[in-house]
PDB file of all heavy atoms in Angstrom:
ATOM      1  N   THR W 453     -17.054  52.411  37.959  1.00  0.00           N
ATOM      2  CA  THR W 453     -16.681  52.505  36.557  1.00  0.00           C
ATOM      3  C   THR W 453     -17.845  51.993  35.716  1.00  0.00           C
ATOM      4  O   THR W 453     -18.652  51.182  36.160  1.00  0.00           O
ATOM      5  CB  THR W 453     -15.427  51.666  36.266  1.00  0.00           C
ATOM      6  OG1 THR W 453     -15.658  50.318  36.708  1.00  0.00           O
ATOM      7  CG2 THR W 453     -14.208  52.230  36.978  1.00  0.00           C
ATOM      8  N   GLY W 454     -17.924  52.490  34.499  1.00  0.00           N
ATOM      9  CA  GLY W 454     -19.037  52.130  33.620  1.00  0.00           C
ATOM     10  C   GLY W 454     -20.064  53.234  33.525  1.00  0.00           C
ATOM     11  O   GLY W 454     -20.875  53.249  32.600  1.00  0.00           O
ATOM     12  N   GLY W 455     -20.007  54.177  34.475  1.00  0.00           N
ATOM     13  CA  GLY W 455     -20.944  55.299  34.448  1.00  0.00           C
ATOM     14  C   GLY W 455     -20.236  56.625  34.641  1.00  0.00           C
ATOM     15  O   GLY W 455     -20.866  57.617  35.023  1.00  0.00           O
ATOM     16  N   LEU W 456     -18.941  56.658  34.360  1.00  0.00           N
ATOM     17  CA  LEU W 456     -18.140  57.868  34.604  1.00  0.00           C
ATOM     18  C   LEU W 456     -18.057  58.778  33.388  1.00  0.00           C
ATOM     19  O   LEU W 456     -17.862  59.983  33.530  1.00  0.00           O
ATOM     20  CB  LEU W 456     -16.722  57.479  35.050  1.00  0.00           C
ATOM     21  CG  LEU W 456     -16.637  56.624  36.323  1.00  0.00           C
ATOM     22  CD1 LEU W 456     -15.205  56.153  36.550  1.00  0.00           C
ATOM     23  CD2 LEU W 456     -17.133  57.419  37.527  1.00  0.00           C
ATOM     24  N   GLY W 457     -18.172  58.214  32.191  1.00  0.00           N
ATOM     25  CA  GLY W 457     -18.085  58.996  30.967  1.00  0.00           C
ATOM     26  C   GLY W 457     -19.388  58.940  30.186  1.00  0.00           C
ATOM     27  O   GLY W 457     -20.465  58.724  30.744  1.00  0.00           O
ATOM     28  N   ASP W 458     -19.284  59.151  28.870  1.00  0.00           N
ATOM     29  CA  ASP W 458     -20.477  59.086  28.012  1.00  0.00           C
ATOM     30  C   ASP W 458     -20.929  57.645  27.789  1.00  0.00           C
ATOM     31  O   ASP W 458     -22.115  57.377  27.598  1.00  0.00           O
ATOM     32  CB  ASP W 458     -20.181  59.758  26.667  1.00  0.00           C
ATOM     33  CG  ASP W 458     -19.954  61.248  26.818  1.00  0.00           C
ATOM     34  OD1 ASP W 458     -20.939  61.973  27.064  1.00  0.00           O
ATOM     35  OD2 ASP W 458     -18.793  61.692  26.716  1.00  0.00           O
ATOM     36  N   ALA W 459     -19.978  56.731  27.785  1.00  0.00           N
ATOM     37  CA  ALA W 459     -20.275  55.306  27.620  1.00  0.00           C
ATOM     38  C   ALA W 459     -19.042  54.524  28.038  1.00  0.00           C
ATOM     39  O   ALA W 459     -17.941  55.065  28.151  1.00  0.00           O
ATOM     40  CB  ALA W 459     -20.645  54.987  26.173  1.00  0.00           C
ATOM     41  N   ALA W 460     -19.243  53.231  28.279  1.00  0.00           N
ATOM     42  CA  ALA W 460     -18.125  52.367  28.673  1.00  0.00           C
ATOM     43  C   ALA W 460     -18.238  51.022  27.985  1.00  0.00           C
ATOM     44  O   ALA W 460     -19.343  50.526  27.722  1.00  0.00           O
ATOM     45  CB  ALA W 460     -18.102  52.175  30.188  1.00  0.00           C
ATOM     46  N   GLY W 461     -17.090  50.428  27.703  1.00  0.00           N
ATOM     47  CA  GLY W 461     -17.040  49.091  27.130  1.00  0.00           C
ATOM     48  C   GLY W 461     -16.441  48.116  28.127  1.00  0.00           C
ATOM     49  O   GLY W 461     -15.369  48.371  28.681  1.00  0.00           O
ATOM     50  N   PHE W 462     -17.144  47.012  28.381  1.00  0.00           N
ATOM     51  CA  PHE W 462     -16.678  45.962  29.288  1.00  0.00           C
ATOM     52  C   PHE W 462     -16.378  44.691  28.504  1.00  0.00           C
ATOM     53  O   PHE W 462     -17.020  44.401  27.491  1.00  0.00           O
ATOM     54  CB  PHE W 462     -17.737  45.637  30.342  1.00  0.00           C
ATOM     55  CG  PHE W 462     -17.858  46.638  31.446  1.00  0.00           C
ATOM     56  CD1 PHE W 462     -18.737  47.711  31.320  1.00  0.00           C
ATOM     57  CD2 PHE W 462     -17.112  46.524  32.607  1.00  0.00           C
ATOM     58  CE1 PHE W 462     -18.873  48.637  32.340  1.00  0.00           C
ATOM     59  CE2 PHE W 462     -17.238  47.452  33.633  1.00  0.00           C
ATOM     60  CZ  PHE W 462     -18.115  48.516  33.502  1.00  0.00           C
ATOM     61  N   SER W 463     -15.427  43.931  29.005  1.00  0.00           N
ATOM     62  CA  SER W 463     -15.142  42.597  28.478  1.00  0.00           C
ATOM     63  C   SER W 463     -15.516  41.571  29.535  1.00  0.00           C
ATOM     64  O   SER W 463     -15.295  41.789  30.726  1.00  0.00           O
ATOM     65  CB  SER W 463     -13.651  42.458  28.149  1.00  0.00           C
ATOM     66  OG  SER W 463     -13.315  41.096  27.918  1.00  0.00           O
ATOM     67  N   PHE W 464     -16.064  40.429  29.084  1.00  0.00           N
ATOM     68  CA  PHE W 464     -16.342  39.315  29.979  1.00  0.00           C
ATOM     69  C   PHE W 464     -15.487  38.105  29.587  1.00  0.00           C
ATOM     70  O   PHE W 464     -15.885  36.954  29.790  1.00  0.00           O
ATOM     71  CB  PHE W 464     -17.828  38.945  29.941  1.00  0.00           C
ATOM     72  CG  PHE W 464     -18.737  40.078  30.341  1.00  0.00           C
ATOM     73  CD1 PHE W 464     -19.820  40.438  29.544  1.00  0.00           C
ATOM     74  CD2 PHE W 464     -18.504  40.801  31.501  1.00  0.00           C
ATOM     75  CE1 PHE W 464     -20.657  41.475  29.904  1.00  0.00           C
ATOM     76  CE2 PHE W 464     -19.342  41.852  31.870  1.00  0.00           C
ATOM     77  CZ  PHE W 464     -20.414  42.191  31.071  1.00  0.00           C
ATOM     78  N   TYR W 465     -14.313  38.383  29.033  1.00  0.00           N
ATOM     79  CA  TYR W 465     -13.349  37.313  28.750  1.00  0.00           C
ATOM     80  C   TYR W 465     -13.175  36.476  30.021  1.00  0.00           C
ATOM     81  O   TYR W 465     -13.222  37.010  31.129  1.00  0.00           O
ATOM     82  CB  TYR W 465     -12.028  37.943  28.312  1.00  0.00           C
ATOM     83  CG  TYR W 465     -10.938  36.975  27.962  1.00  0.00           C
ATOM     84  CD1 TYR W 465     -10.936  36.312  26.744  1.00  0.00           C
ATOM     85  CD2 TYR W 465      -9.880  36.738  28.852  1.00  0.00           C
ATOM     86  CE1 TYR W 465      -9.920  35.429  26.411  1.00  0.00           C
ATOM     87  CE2 TYR W 465      -8.865  35.850  28.533  1.00  0.00           C
ATOM     88  CZ  TYR W 465      -8.886  35.191  27.314  1.00  0.00           C
ATOM     89  OH  TYR W 465      -7.885  34.313  26.993  1.00  0.00           O
ATOM     90  N   PRO W 466     -13.007  35.149  29.909  1.00  0.00           N
ATOM     91  CA  PRO W 466     -13.020  34.284  31.099  1.00  0.00           C
ATOM     92  C   PRO W 466     -12.105  34.708  32.250  1.00  0.00           C
ATOM     93  O   PRO W 466     -12.433  34.478  33.417  1.00  0.00           O
ATOM     94  CB  PRO W 466     -12.594  32.922  30.533  1.00  0.00           C
ATOM     95  CG  PRO W 466     -13.102  32.943  29.135  1.00  0.00           C
ATOM     96  CD  PRO W 466     -12.914  34.357  28.666  1.00  0.00           C
ATOM     97  N   GLY W 467     -10.962  35.334  31.943  1.00  0.00           N
ATOM     98  CA  GLY W 467     -10.038  35.712  33.002  1.00  0.00           C
ATOM     99  C   GLY W 467     -10.372  36.995  33.724  1.00  0.00           C
ATOM    100  O   GLY W 467      -9.704  37.361  34.702  1.00  0.00           O
ATOM    101  N   LYS W 468     -11.413  37.701  33.291  1.00  0.00           N
ATOM    102  CA  LYS W 468     -11.768  38.980  33.911  1.00  0.00           C
ATOM    103  C   LYS W 468     -12.414  38.764  35.289  1.00  0.00           C
ATOM    104  O   LYS W 468     -12.865  37.675  35.615  1.00  0.00           O
ATOM    105  CB  LYS W 468     -12.729  39.748  32.995  1.00  0.00           C
ATOM    106  CG  LYS W 468     -12.131  40.122  31.639  1.00  0.00           C
ATOM    107  CD  LYS W 468     -10.984  41.114  31.803  1.00  0.00           C
ATOM    108  CE  LYS W 468     -10.604  41.775  30.484  1.00  0.00           C
ATOM    109  NZ  LYS W 468      -9.683  40.998  29.671  1.00  0.00           N
ATOM    110  N   ASN W 469     -12.487  39.840  36.082  1.00  0.00           N
ATOM    111  CA  ASN W 469     -13.120  39.744  37.401  1.00  0.00           C
ATOM    112  C   ASN W 469     -14.551  39.220  37.285  1.00  0.00           C
ATOM    113  O   ASN W 469     -15.000  38.448  38.120  1.00  0.00           O
ATOM    114  CB  ASN W 469     -13.128  41.105  38.090  1.00  0.00           C
ATOM    115  CG  ASN W 469     -11.737  41.564  38.482  1.00  0.00           C
ATOM    116  OD1 ASN W 469     -10.782  41.407  37.723  1.00  0.00           O
ATOM    117  ND2 ASN W 469     -11.610  42.136  39.672  1.00  0.00           N
ATOM    118  N   LEU W 470     -15.265  39.671  36.277  1.00  0.00           N
ATOM    119  CA  LEU W 470     -16.562  39.091  35.921  1.00  0.00           C
ATOM    120  C   LEU W 470     -16.366  38.439  34.557  1.00  0.00           C
ATOM    121  O   LEU W 470     -16.477  39.085  33.514  1.00  0.00           O
ATOM    122  CB  LEU W 470     -17.661  40.157  35.866  1.00  0.00           C
ATOM    123  CG  LEU W 470     -19.058  39.642  35.498  1.00  0.00           C
ATOM    124  CD1 LEU W 470     -19.548  38.609  36.501  1.00  0.00           C
ATOM    125  CD2 LEU W 470     -20.050  40.793  35.380  1.00  0.00           C
ATOM    126  N   GLY W 471     -16.056  37.159  34.578  1.00  0.00           N
ATOM    127  CA  GLY W 471     -15.722  36.463  33.341  1.00  0.00           C
ATOM    128  C   GLY W 471     -16.779  35.462  32.938  1.00  0.00           C
ATOM    129  O   GLY W 471     -17.363  34.761  33.777  1.00  0.00           O
ATOM    130  N   ALA W 472     -17.039  35.388  31.644  1.00  0.00           N
ATOM    131  CA  ALA W 472     -17.973  34.404  31.103  1.00  0.00           C
ATOM    132  C   ALA W 472     -17.252  33.073  30.912  1.00  0.00           C
ATOM    133  O   ALA W 472     -16.085  32.915  31.286  1.00  0.00           O
ATOM    134  CB  ALA W 472     -18.542  34.914  29.776  1.00  0.00           C
ATOM    135  N   PHE W 473     -17.933  32.111  30.314  1.00  0.00           N
ATOM    136  CA  PHE W 473     -17.332  30.818  29.987  1.00  0.00           C
ATOM    137  C   PHE W 473     -17.121  30.747  28.475  1.00  0.00           C
ATOM    138  O   PHE W 473     -17.424  29.761  27.808  1.00  0.00           O
ATOM    139  CB  PHE W 473     -18.216  29.680  30.504  1.00  0.00           C
ATOM    140  CG  PHE W 473     -18.218  29.596  32.008  1.00  0.00           C
ATOM    141  CD1 PHE W 473     -19.053  30.416  32.755  1.00  0.00           C
ATOM    142  CD2 PHE W 473     -17.364  28.743  32.676  1.00  0.00           C
ATOM    143  CE1 PHE W 473     -19.046  30.365  34.141  1.00  0.00           C
ATOM    144  CE2 PHE W 473     -17.341  28.683  34.054  1.00  0.00           C
ATOM    145  CZ  PHE W 473     -18.187  29.498  34.798  1.00  0.00           C
ATOM    146  N   GLY W 474     -16.601  31.844  27.966  1.00  0.00           N
ATOM    147  CA  GLY W 474     -16.370  32.070  26.549  1.00  0.00           C
ATOM    148  C   GLY W 474     -16.242  33.566  26.392  1.00  0.00           C
ATOM    149  O   GLY W 474     -16.004  34.279  27.374  1.00  0.00           O
ATOM    150  N   ASP W 475     -16.396  34.079  25.197  1.00  0.00           N
ATOM    151  CA  ASP W 475     -16.305  35.522  24.993  1.00  0.00           C
ATOM    152  C   ASP W 475     -17.621  36.211  25.331  1.00  0.00           C
ATOM    153  O   ASP W 475     -18.700  35.613  25.262  1.00  0.00           O
ATOM    154  CB  ASP W 475     -15.933  35.845  23.544  1.00  0.00           C
ATOM    155  CG  ASP W 475     -14.427  35.961  23.355  1.00  0.00           C
ATOM    156  OD1 ASP W 475     -13.762  36.509  24.255  1.00  0.00           O
ATOM    157  OD2 ASP W 475     -13.925  35.517  22.308  1.00  0.00           O
ATOM    158  N   GLY W 476     -17.517  37.487  25.661  1.00  0.00           N
ATOM    159  CA  GLY W 476     -18.691  38.296  25.934  1.00  0.00           C
ATOM    160  C   GLY W 476     -18.261  39.717  26.255  1.00  0.00           C
ATOM    161  O   GLY W 476     -17.110  39.970  26.607  1.00  0.00           O
ATOM    162  N   GLY W 477     -19.190  40.652  26.125  1.00  0.00           N
ATOM    163  CA  GLY W 477     -18.896  42.047  26.434  1.00  0.00           C
ATOM    164  C   GLY W 477     -20.179  42.819  26.641  1.00  0.00           C
ATOM    165  O   GLY W 477     -21.287  42.283  26.465  1.00  0.00           O
ATOM    166  N   ALA W 478     -20.039  44.088  27.023  1.00  0.00           N
ATOM    167  CA  ALA W 478     -21.226  44.924  27.230  1.00  0.00           C
ATOM    168  C   ALA W 478     -20.865  46.390  27.083  1.00  0.00           C
ATOM    169  O   ALA W 478     -19.727  46.798  27.336  1.00  0.00           O
ATOM    170  CB  ALA W 478     -21.842  44.681  28.605  1.00  0.00           C
ATOM    171  N   VAL W 479     -21.847  47.164  26.689  1.00  0.00           N
ATOM    172  CA  VAL W 479     -21.768  48.623  26.655  1.00  0.00           C
ATOM    173  C   VAL W 479     -22.685  49.143  27.745  1.00  0.00           C
ATOM    174  O   VAL W 479     -23.827  48.687  27.870  1.00  0.00           O
ATOM    175  CB  VAL W 479     -22.215  49.174  25.282  1.00  0.00           C
ATOM    176  CG1 VAL W 479     -22.326  50.699  25.324  1.00  0.00           C
ATOM    177  CG2 VAL W 479     -21.252  48.726  24.187  1.00  0.00           C
ATOM    178  N   THR W 480     -22.195  50.107  28.531  1.00  0.00           N
ATOM    179  CA  THR W 480     -23.044  50.765  29.528  1.00  0.00           C
ATOM    180  C   THR W 480     -23.059  52.266  29.259  1.00  0.00           C
ATOM    181  O   THR W 480     -22.058  52.844  28.835  1.00  0.00           O
ATOM    182  CB  THR W 480     -22.544  50.511  30.967  1.00  0.00           C
ATOM    183  OG1 THR W 480     -21.180  50.957  31.091  1.00  0.00           O
ATOM    184  CG2 THR W 480     -22.631  49.035  31.317  1.00  0.00           C
ATOM    185  N   THR W 481     -24.211  52.887  29.515  1.00  0.00           N
ATOM    186  CA  THR W 481     -24.354  54.319  29.254  1.00  0.00           C
ATOM    187  C   THR W 481     -25.626  54.839  29.922  1.00  0.00           C
ATOM    188  O   THR W 481     -26.537  54.066  30.255  1.00  0.00           O
ATOM    189  CB  THR W 481     -24.402  54.601  27.734  1.00  0.00           C
ATOM    190  OG1 THR W 481     -24.467  56.012  27.497  1.00  0.00           O
ATOM    191  CG2 THR W 481     -25.603  53.922  27.085  1.00  0.00           C
ATOM    192  N   ASN W 482     -25.701  56.151  30.071  1.00  0.00           N
ATOM    193  CA  ASN W 482     -26.929  56.813  30.531  1.00  0.00           C
ATOM    194  C   ASN W 482     -27.648  57.524  29.388  1.00  0.00           C
ATOM    195  O   ASN W 482     -28.669  58.178  29.606  1.00  0.00           O
ATOM    196  CB  ASN W 482     -26.602  57.821  31.633  1.00  0.00           C
ATOM    197  CG  ASN W 482     -26.308  57.134  32.958  1.00  0.00           C
ATOM    198  OD1 ASN W 482     -27.086  56.316  33.441  1.00  0.00           O
ATOM    199  ND2 ASN W 482     -25.163  57.464  33.556  1.00  0.00           N
TER     200      ASN W 482
END
């Protein structure tokens, strides 16, 4: 996931599988 469409939005909220120690996010695209 993250490379299946035109772009993807990720969250790094602490409870996520890849969680930060505060808020965070990322956009992935080709």
Side-chain angles (χ1 to χ4, degrees):
T453 54
L456 301 172
D458 294 288
F462 284 90
S463 167
F464 301 130
Y465 181 78
K468 297 295 195 276
N469 291 42
L470 180 60
F473 291 83
D475 269 321
V479 172
T480 57
T481 183
N482 285 308

